[in-house]
Amino acid sequence: MSNITIQQVSREFGANTALKQVNLEVREGEFFSLLGPSGCGKTTLLNIIAGFLEPTTGEVLIGGREVTDLPPYRRDIGMVFQNYALFPHLSVFENVAYGLKVRKMPRADIRKRVEESLASVRLESFAARMPHQLSGGQQQRVAIARALAIKPKVLLLDEPLSNLDAKLRKEMQSELRSLQQSVGITTVLVTHDQEEALSLSDRIGILGNGELQQLGSPLDVYRRPANRFVAEFIGQVNLIEAKAVSASGSPAGVLTYQTAQYRLASGQPLSLSAASDPALTGKESVLFMLRPERIQLSPEHASEGTNQTEIQITDVSYAGNFLRIAGTLPGGGELVIQAPDPSFTVLPEPGQTLYARWAPEDLVPLV
Amino acid sequence: MTKTKKKYRRNMFSWILLTPSLLFMGIFLILPFLLLLILSFHDVDKYMNTLSTFSLSQYIEVFTSPFYLGTIRSTLWVALLTTVICIVLAYPAAYLLVRSPNQGTRTMFYILLVSPLLTSVVIRTFAWIVILAQNGLVNEVLMKLHLINQPLTLLWNMNAVIIAYVQVMLPFAVLPIATSLGEIAPNLRQASMILGAGRLRTFVKVTLPLTIPGMISGAVIVFSLAAGSYITPLLVGGRLQPFLPLSIYQQVMQVSNLPLGAAMSLTLLLFVGIVVGVLGWILKRWEGRMNG
Ligand SMILES: Nc1ncnc2c1ncn2[C@@H]1O[C@H](COP(=O)(O)OP(=O)(O)OP(=O)(O)O)[C@@H](O)[C@H]1O
Ligand SMILES: [Mg+2]
């Protein structure tokens, strides 16, 4: 088990820069996800860790040892590929034994290790099959067993679950997580599925345009995104540009703002109250993030004040466990709202008027 | 319209599309083959006139005469040797063709490889006469370098035939190998390397086995061509070489013993058929193992 340190790694393809000065450390035994939109450089970074690509500049350390110039076959890494990459001419047993044979392990030990590995992914009875005789999920489990059989220092996974259907994917996710925890291996998962990254990882690194945008726990990146890019990439958001106003009589710890983006029936800008935050001190104009699920809907106006408004529903989509509702303010501006299924006995309809409100803490400033 | 009717219509349509090629094959392949088969069982008189009586006499001649048996043996041997050399030489070429990082280089290699096929085999073989003759390129150079005093006899033997064959047939081996190399998913090699296998081991354990289908396809083409051509052996080997297609040519065009020529043709076909059948069986087994 080892940590991975990536120092000042850049990679160019001709004129195109895939990675810019990436610095990050994956801690020992951690489940780390690299998350980002398509083309942001996730695979490039993973291939640099694995040794399939050389960084243009910078270095990679595994377990404190510099490996930048080592070929992949000297790095002692386990890797699982997107399309499994099982050797089609070898049986399941031979696939899992491949890395052990390379290491010249005695035959009896190989047999034992392969059996253990297959048992860990619950495929003991499939040893004699050929890869084409397995389902996608089974192939993926063999790929994981093959990668772990060599007891590598770190495990790299490049979108390992993206070819599986939703249900199997969920199953494999929890299986992967519990396997990782029982082995305790440092793991880097590349994915563009934010839900997968959030639910599996100890920490997440968000890549955008070849740069590391944020590094943090799932809670951090979801609740306190570092910037607009992260906020928009992880989940849906309402982004609100607002200006500070000096208001008298607001409670302690609350700052008042106005946003021209949203207007009331009178044409007045909507007033906002945000919880005071170090990021807000001395700032005139701020970009706030308001998550759709933080907005409460009710049929009646509660009282006068900030952080609430009348909205006219324009669109409702029912997703089973929640509803996604879009609405506009009387004077203009659209809000996206997500409400849990049980909050409505009868679904709201477009054209209907409802009242939205949220707490000061729900307005998260982005820097 | 019911489903079966629709299906029937679709079938009819396919048959109509197939008819021209089926007719062509019937008239120019199946029919001549049947005529050849019948001819091979006819007897001849001592003036080589074909008689109307049937017997196995031509086949008995082919399979008992030490000369013809030797000819069969050397024909198969030359074809086998040509095939093996072609596959071995074709592999690196195919590798270069597929793995060149640059698209321009790849295109250039393709053109280089395929362009010889645009000239006739006679011209390509004549080039070898120019190179291998007593006063040809090779001998001239060796003489000038004083490595030899007398010109070597490089032409008119089976070695010359094999050399010319290999050159002429190399593209037929390169193309199928290149195709199957190109079909290997790049991350299979990555998977092998990350599991600890170096480049050589990855080649032997992953790349090579996965190109077996390409090698077999190439071998089938080269072997059939090598066992069945007569122009190249005639030009660089001479008409006296113990080579079955040459013997057939002589029986038919010079001796005019048509039934014996027919029997030898079918014998050749039989042996090539056996070799191709075995190779095809191996291919099928291998692909069945990989793809079910
Ligand atoms: N071999 C290459 N040659 C040229 N450009 C490349 C090469 N590999 C990647 N790139 C470019 O580098 C950028 C990052 O690619 P990368 O494959 O790392 O993206 P990714 O984040 O893995 O995307 P995806 O989620 O679609 O897999 C892209 O703009 C891509 O076009
Ligand atoms: Mg990728």
Side-chain angles (χ1 to χ4, degrees):
Chain A
M1 237 128 332
S2 310
N3 59 341
I4 304 170
T5 313
I6 291 162
Q7 279 173 355
Q8 299 287 338
V9 164
S10 297
R11 170 72 206 204
E12 278 144 32
F13 293 106
N16 171 3
T17 307
L19 289 175
K20 283 174 231 162
Q21 302 276 319
V22 175
N23 278 304
L24 78 91
E25 185 183 337
V26 181
R27 296 175 192 148
E28 206 167 306
E30 165 173 70
F31 197 120
F32 187 90
S33 290
L34 272 174
L35 180 63
S38 186
C40 69
K42 303 179 298 284
T43 301
T44 304
L45 186 55
L46 207 68
N47 283 341
I48 286 173
I49 300 174
F52 297 129
L53 272 179
E54 281 177 21
T56 313
T57 60
E59 36 192 58
V60 178
L61 286 82
I62 296 176
R65 173 165 164 247
E66 218 216 292
V67 297
T68 320
D69 297 323
L70 283 186
Y73 47 87
R74 299 256 171 72
R75 292 195 182 192
D76 231 350
I77 286 175
M79 186 154 176
V80 177
F81 297 84
Q82 181 172 1
N83 57 0
Y84 324 129
L86 295 181
F87 304 122
H89 58 300
L90 300 179
S91 68
V92 167
F93 183 94
E94 291 165 323
N95 263 282
V96 179
Y98 191 93
L100 306 172
K101 281 190 189 150
V102 173
R103 283 165 175 71
K104 305 216 159 45
M105 199 186 243
R107 207 171 256 270
D109 297 359
I110 291 183
R111 173 159 294 277
K112 201 162 149 266
R113 182 77 72 81
V114 171
E115 277 163 7
E116 279 167 19
S117 299
L118 285 176
S120 74
V121 293
R122 298 183 288 111
L123 285 178
E124 305 89 318
S125 54
F126 291 73
R129 294 223 194 162
M130 296 302 287
H132 73 86
Q133 296 169 315
L134 302 177
S135 72
Q138 290 166 340
Q139 289 187 30
Q140 194 54 281
R141 301 217 300 263
V142 174
I144 294 169
R146 181 177 72 176
L148 289 177
I150 60 171
K151 304 219 165 163
K153 290 192 191 126
V154 300
L155 179 64
L156 308 180
L157 307 125
D158 190 359
E159 308 215 18
L161 309 178
S162 61
N163 286 347
L164 304 178
D165 65 59
K167 187 163 173 289
L168 191 56
R169 196 167 166 154
K170 282 266 177 323
E171 278 175 36
M172 284 296 294
Q173 281 172 2
S174 57
E175 212 168 296
L176 192 61
R177 177 67 187 164
S178 61
L179 193 62
Q180 189 268 342
Q181 289 196 320
S182 68
V183 182
I185 186 170
T186 312
T187 300
V188 180
L189 169 79
V190 159
T191 176
H192 58 238
D193 178 343
Q194 37 129 342
E195 204 186 312
E196 183 169 294
L198 291 171
S199 60
L200 292 179
S201 323
D202 296 316
R203 286 193 311 148
I204 300 177
I206 293 168
L207 274 180
N209 307 316
E211 284 174 289
L212 191 64
Q213 304 282 345
Q214 188 173 4
L215 192 63
S217 69
L219 205 75
D220 283 343
V221 295
Y222 190 78
R223 291 201 178 162
R224 294 295 309 222
N227 54 36
R228 186 181 188 132
F229 179 92
V230 177
E232 285 184 308
F233 183 69
I234 305 220
Q236 235 189 342
V237 283
N238 296 292
L239 289 174
I240 308 172
E241 279 175 41
K243 286 207 159 19
V245 289
S246 49
S248 53
S250 54
V254 172
L255 303 168
T256 311
Y257 293 82
Q258 277 193 339
T259 172
Q261 227 176 306
Y262 294 93
R263 288 179 186 275
L264 305 174
S266 58
Q268 288 279 47
L270 179 68
S271 290
L272 304 170
S273 296
S276 71
D277 186 292
L280 289 172
T281 45
K283 279 223 171 130
E284 264 304 296
S285 53
V286 185
L287 181 67
F288 286 111
M289 173 190 88
L290 177 59
R291 290 279 182 207
E293 68 273 18
R294 296 275 172 168
I295 301 175
Q296 313 250 335
L297 284 177
S298 58
E300 287 114 36
H301 213 334
S303 59
E304 293 302 316
T306 56
N307 287 356
Q308 58 179 315
T309 174
E310 175 189 333
I311 57 165
Q312 190 162 33
I313 308 299
T314 54
D315 187 54
V316 177
S317 64
Y318 183 67
N321 54 346
F322 66 86
L323 293 90
R324 199 175 286 290
I325 300 165
T328 49
L329 273 70
E334 179 166 282
L335 274 181
V336 183
I337 299 150
Q338 187 178 309
D341 183 41
S343 53
F344 290 96
T345 345
V346 182
L347 295 191
E349 286 190 16
Q352 203 178 326
T353 298
L354 288 173
Y355 295 89
R357 69 192 151 81
W358 53 91
E361 306 76 57
D362 297 333
L363 288 168
V364 179
L366 301 177
V367 275
Chain B
M1 201 168 14
T2 64
K3 245 187 186 162
T4 47
K5 232 181 184 172
K6 237 184 194 164
K7 205 168 167 192
Y8 172 76
R9 281 214 163 177
R10 184 133 17 104
N11 270 338
M12 272 310 286
F13 187 60
S14 327
W15 280 112
I16 291 168
L17 286 181
L18 270 173
T19 307
S21 41
L22 285 180
L23 270 178
F24 189 86
M25 295 275 277
I27 295 172
F28 295 103
L29 189 73
I30 313 279
L31 191 63
F33 174 79
L34 291 176
L35 292 176
L36 202 68
L37 190 67
I38 295 167
L39 188 62
S40 71
F41 289 102
H42 275 290
D43 292 314
V44 285
D45 64 16
K46 61 177 187 285
Y47 304 109
M48 302 300 168
N49 292 319
T50 305
L51 303 174
S52 55
T53 53
F54 289 95
S55 76
L56 282 173
S57 60
Q58 308 302 345
Y59 287 99
I60 291 168
E61 165 91 24
V62 172
F63 283 101
T64 52
S65 136
F67 174 72
Y68 288 136
L69 284 177
T71 303
I72 292 171
R73 197 156 0 103
S74 75
T75 305
L76 295 176
W77 175 241
V78 165
L80 182 72
L81 222 55
T82 305
T83 306
V84 171
I85 296 172
C86 268
I87 298 296
V88 170
L89 292 183
Y91 211 100
Y95 207 85
L96 209 61
L97 201 61
V98 174
R99 297 280 165 79
S100 295
N102 185 320
Q103 176 68 46
T105 330
R106 279 201 299 269
T107 311
M108 200 192 69
F109 281 136
Y110 259 107
I111 294 172
L112 272 180
L113 182 74
V114 179
S115 58
L117 299 179
L118 298 175
T119 50
S120 106
V121 71
V122 179
I123 292 169
R124 272 179 286 156
T125 309
F126 261 120
W128 282 107
I129 299 182
V130 175
I131 293 168
L132 298 178
Q134 295 269 327
N135 54 356
L137 193 67
V138 173
N139 276 319
E140 291 280 307
V141 170
L142 291 178
M143 297 272 279
K144 284 267 154 59
L145 292 173
H146 297 289
L147 290 171
I148 51 171
N149 298 324
Q150 302 255 68
L152 301 170
T153 306
L154 300 170
L155 274 178
W156 323 122
N157 55 34
M158 279 301 191
N159 291 340
V161 175
I162 292 174
I163 291 172
Y165 260 175
V166 167
Q167 190 259 323
V168 167
M169 290 167 189
L170 204 53
F172 297 114
V174 174
L175 291 175
I177 295 176
T179 305
S180 69
L181 268 174
E183 280 167 1
I184 300 177
N187 62 18
L188 288 183
R189 268 175 295 131
Q190 293 188 334
S192 164
M193 295 222 268
I194 207 74
L195 285 166
R199 285 175 199 287
L200 183 65
R201 196 183 176 103
T202 297
F203 176 78
V204 173
K205 294 284 178 183
V206 178
T207 310
L208 203 58
L210 292 178
T211 47
I212 285 176
M215 289 193 278
I216 291 181
S217 308
V220 165
I221 301 172
V222 172
F223 187 88
S224 324
L225 286 175
S229 310
Y230 74 93
I231 293 270
T232 304
L234 186 67
L235 291 179
V236 297
R239 63 189 169 81
L240 296 178
Q241 294 303 324
F243 204 64
L244 207 50
L246 287 179
S247 311
I248 295 169
Y249 181 76
Q250 280 156 11
Q251 285 305 320
V252 176
M253 305 303 284
Q254 287 155 11
V255 185
S256 270
N257 187 344
L258 297 183
L260 183 58
M264 291 200 295
S265 299
L266 289 165
T267 307
L268 180 61
L269 191 67
L270 176 74
F271 281 110
V272 172
I274 290 172
V275 172
V276 169
V278 169
L279 288 173
W281 180 79
I282 296 173
L283 181 66
K284 218 168 161 191
R285 287 273 323 240
W286 180 255
E287 292 195 324
R289 189 175 140 82
M290 283 204 306
N291 310 319

